[in-house]
Amino acid sequence: MNPASGTATAVPDLATLEAGQELPTMHKFPDEAQLFLYSAASHNPHRIHYDREYARFEGHDDIIVHGPLQGAWLTQFVTDWAGPAARLLGVTWQNRASGLPGEELVFSGTVTSVDPETGIVELEIAEHTSDGRLLMPATARVRLPTA
């Protein structure tokens, strides 16, 4: 069971994995309490993440989801898919737009290359809003077990 999305997922099989395969999507629903708690846990005092009036003063439509929190979710998306025996080798992302509380955030990805000898899999991943607005394009590399 994928705890992030609540759906059953199978660990990818290196023998049948190929470029072009899509990863199962993951969905997140950030809320105000979660953003406040992440600010506290990450020692981030910037009020745009928990004070609506201040966020609007700085030109935002609402309080905004932390970029590092979205990056953590991208990482979780990959590691949940790859399974506990895999090793995350790297993740890169670009913060293109802000997520807002109450929005459904959708994480998706595609396998771009597979090296069956080393077990290294390259992924193109992204975070979008449910209406398709791109928030974070990203890439990831994982090593899946070879035997």
Short mmCIF file of all heavy atoms in Angstrom, two decimals, residues 76-100:
data_model
loop_
_atom_site.label_atom_id
_atom_site.label_comp_id
_atom_site.label_asym_id
_atom_site.label_seq_id
_atom_site.Cartn_x
_atom_site.Cartn_y
_atom_site.Cartn_z
N GLN A 76 9.38 11.63 -2.01
CA GLN A 76 8.52 10.56 -1.50
C GLN A 76 7.85 9.82 -2.65
O GLN A 76 7.74 8.59 -2.63
CB GLN A 76 7.47 11.13 -0.56
CG GLN A 76 6.49 10.09 -0.06
CD GLN A 76 5.31 10.68 0.69
OE1 GLN A 76 5.11 11.89 0.71
NE2 GLN A 76 4.53 9.82 1.29
N PHE A 77 7.40 10.56 -3.63
CA PHE A 77 6.76 9.96 -4.81
C PHE A 77 7.68 8.93 -5.45
O PHE A 77 7.28 7.81 -5.74
CB PHE A 77 6.39 11.08 -5.79
CG PHE A 77 5.91 10.61 -7.14
CD1 PHE A 77 4.76 9.86 -7.26
CD2 PHE A 77 6.62 10.94 -8.28
CE1 PHE A 77 4.31 9.43 -8.50
CE2 PHE A 77 6.18 10.52 -9.53
CZ PHE A 77 5.03 9.76 -9.64
N VAL A 78 8.94 9.29 -5.63
CA VAL A 78 9.91 8.39 -6.26
C VAL A 78 10.23 7.20 -5.36
O VAL A 78 10.23 6.05 -5.81
CB VAL A 78 11.20 9.16 -6.63
CG1 VAL A 78 12.29 8.20 -7.09
CG2 VAL A 78 10.91 10.20 -7.70
N THR A 79 10.50 7.45 -4.08
CA THR A 79 10.88 6.35 -3.20
C THR A 79 9.71 5.40 -2.92
O THR A 79 9.92 4.19 -2.78
CB THR A 79 11.50 6.87 -1.88
OG1 THR A 79 10.58 7.73 -1.22
CG2 THR A 79 12.81 7.61 -2.15
N ASP A 80 8.49 5.92 -2.86
CA ASP A 80 7.33 5.03 -2.72
C ASP A 80 7.21 4.12 -3.94
O ASP A 80 6.94 2.93 -3.82
CB ASP A 80 6.04 5.83 -2.57
CG ASP A 80 5.83 6.39 -1.18
OD1 ASP A 80 6.63 6.10 -0.27
OD2 ASP A 80 4.85 7.15 -1.00
N TRP A 81 7.44 4.67 -5.13
CA TRP A 81 7.35 3.88 -6.35
C TRP A 81 8.47 2.84 -6.41
O TRP A 81 8.24 1.68 -6.72
CB TRP A 81 7.42 4.80 -7.58
CG TRP A 81 7.59 4.04 -8.87
CD1 TRP A 81 6.62 3.38 -9.56
CD2 TRP A 81 8.81 3.84 -9.59
NE1 TRP A 81 7.16 2.79 -10.67
CE2 TRP A 81 8.50 3.05 -10.71
CE3 TRP A 81 10.12 4.26 -9.39
CZ2 TRP A 81 9.47 2.67 -11.64
CZ3 TRP A 81 11.10 3.88 -10.31
CH2 TRP A 81 10.76 3.09 -11.43
N ALA A 82 9.69 3.25 -6.10
CA ALA A 82 10.85 2.39 -6.25
C ALA A 82 10.88 1.25 -5.23
O ALA A 82 11.43 0.19 -5.50
CB ALA A 82 12.13 3.22 -6.17
N GLY A 83 10.33 1.47 -4.06
CA GLY A 83 10.28 0.43 -3.04
C GLY A 83 11.45 0.48 -2.07
O GLY A 83 12.44 1.18 -2.29
N PRO A 84 11.33 -0.28 -0.99
CA PRO A 84 12.30 -0.19 0.10
C PRO A 84 13.69 -0.73 -0.22
O PRO A 84 14.67 -0.37 0.44
CB PRO A 84 11.65 -1.00 1.23
CG PRO A 84 10.70 -1.92 0.55
CD PRO A 84 10.23 -1.19 -0.68
N ALA A 85 13.83 -1.58 -1.23
CA ALA A 85 15.15 -2.13 -1.57
C ALA A 85 15.91 -1.25 -2.56
O ALA A 85 17.08 -1.48 -2.84
CB ALA A 85 15.01 -3.54 -2.14
N ALA A 86 15.27 -0.23 -3.08
CA ALA A 86 15.91 0.67 -4.05
C ALA A 86 16.71 1.74 -3.32
O ALA A 86 16.53 1.99 -2.13
CB ALA A 86 14.85 1.33 -4.94
N ARG A 87 17.58 2.39 -4.07
CA ARG A 87 18.36 3.49 -3.52
C ARG A 87 18.14 4.73 -4.38
O ARG A 87 18.30 4.70 -5.60
CB ARG A 87 19.84 3.15 -3.50
CG ARG A 87 20.69 4.37 -3.11
CD ARG A 87 22.08 4.00 -2.86
NE ARG A 87 22.10 3.47 -1.50
CZ ARG A 87 23.17 2.98 -0.92
NH1 ARG A 87 24.30 2.92 -1.58
NH2 ARG A 87 23.13 2.53 0.31
N LEU A 88 17.74 5.81 -3.73
CA LEU A 88 17.59 7.09 -4.42
C LEU A 88 18.97 7.67 -4.65
O LEU A 88 19.74 7.88 -3.70
CB LEU A 88 16.74 8.04 -3.56
CG LEU A 88 16.51 9.43 -4.13
CD1 LEU A 88 15.66 9.38 -5.39
CD2 LEU A 88 15.84 10.31 -3.07
N LEU A 89 19.31 7.95 -5.90
CA LEU A 89 20.63 8.49 -6.24
C LEU A 89 20.60 10.01 -6.39
O LEU A 89 21.62 10.66 -6.20
CB LEU A 89 21.16 7.86 -7.53
CG LEU A 89 21.30 6.33 -7.50
CD1 LEU A 89 21.73 5.82 -8.86
CD2 LEU A 89 22.30 5.92 -6.42
N GLY A 90 19.45 10.56 -6.73
CA GLY A 90 19.36 12.01 -6.86
C GLY A 90 18.01 12.46 -7.35
O GLY A 90 17.31 11.72 -8.04
N VAL A 91 17.65 13.67 -6.94
CA VAL A 91 16.42 14.31 -7.39
C VAL A 91 16.75 15.78 -7.63
O VAL A 91 17.45 16.40 -6.83
CB VAL A 91 15.29 14.22 -6.34
CG1 VAL A 91 14.05 14.96 -6.81
CG2 VAL A 91 14.95 12.79 -6.01
N THR A 92 16.28 16.32 -8.74
CA THR A 92 16.41 17.76 -8.99
C THR A 92 15.03 18.29 -9.34
O THR A 92 14.22 17.57 -9.93
CB THR A 92 17.36 18.06 -10.16
OG1 THR A 92 16.82 17.51 -11.36
CG2 THR A 92 18.74 17.49 -9.91
N TRP A 93 14.76 19.52 -8.95
CA TRP A 93 13.48 20.12 -9.31
C TRP A 93 13.64 21.61 -9.48
O TRP A 93 14.59 22.22 -9.00
CB TRP A 93 12.39 19.80 -8.29
CG TRP A 93 12.57 20.40 -6.93
CD1 TRP A 93 12.31 21.68 -6.54
CD2 TRP A 93 13.05 19.74 -5.76
NE1 TRP A 93 12.60 21.86 -5.22
CE2 TRP A 93 13.05 20.68 -4.71
CE3 TRP A 93 13.47 18.45 -5.50
CZ2 TRP A 93 13.47 20.36 -3.42
CZ3 TRP A 93 13.88 18.14 -4.22
CH2 TRP A 93 13.88 19.10 -3.20
N GLN A 94 12.68 22.19 -10.19
CA GLN A 94 12.61 23.64 -10.36
C GLN A 94 11.26 24.10 -9.83
O GLN A 94 10.23 23.52 -10.19
CB GLN A 94 12.72 24.02 -11.84
CG GLN A 94 14.02 23.67 -12.48
CD GLN A 94 14.02 24.01 -13.95
OE1 GLN A 94 12.99 24.31 -14.55
NE2 GLN A 94 15.19 23.94 -14.57
N ASN A 95 11.28 25.13 -9.03
CA ASN A 95 10.06 25.68 -8.46
C ASN A 95 9.51 26.71 -9.44
O ASN A 95 10.03 27.81 -9.55
CB ASN A 95 10.37 26.32 -7.11
CG ASN A 95 9.17 26.42 -6.22
OD1 ASN A 95 8.06 26.10 -6.62
ND2 ASN A 95 9.39 26.88 -5.01
N ARG A 96 8.46 26.36 -10.20
CA ARG A 96 7.92 27.24 -11.24
C ARG A 96 6.71 28.04 -10.80
O ARG A 96 6.44 29.10 -11.34
CB ARG A 96 7.53 26.41 -12.46
CG ARG A 96 8.68 25.69 -13.11
CD ARG A 96 9.24 26.49 -14.27
NE ARG A 96 10.34 25.83 -14.89
CZ ARG A 96 10.26 25.04 -15.95
NH1 ARG A 96 9.09 24.81 -16.51
NH2 ARG A 96 11.34 24.49 -16.46
N ALA A 97 5.93 27.48 -9.86
CA ALA A 97 4.72 28.17 -9.40
C ALA A 97 4.39 27.67 -8.00
O ALA A 97 4.89 26.64 -7.57
CB ALA A 97 3.55 27.90 -10.35
N SER A 98 3.56 28.41 -7.31
CA SER A 98 3.23 28.09 -5.93
C SER A 98 1.97 27.26 -5.81
O SER A 98 0.96 27.55 -6.45
CB SER A 98 3.03 29.38 -5.13
OG SER A 98 4.21 30.14 -5.13
N GLY A 99 2.03 26.24 -4.96
CA GLY A 99 0.85 25.49 -4.59
C GLY A 99 0.12 26.23 -3.48
O GLY A 99 0.74 26.95 -2.69
N LEU A 100 -1.18 26.05 -3.42
CA LEU A 100 -2.00 26.73 -2.42
C LEU A 100 -2.73 25.72 -1.55
O LEU A 100 -3.04 24.61 -2.00
CB LEU A 100 -3.03 27.63 -3.12
CG LEU A 100 -2.46 28.68 -4.08
CD1 LEU A 100 -3.59 29.39 -4.82
CD2 LEU A 100 -1.58 29.67 -3.35
#
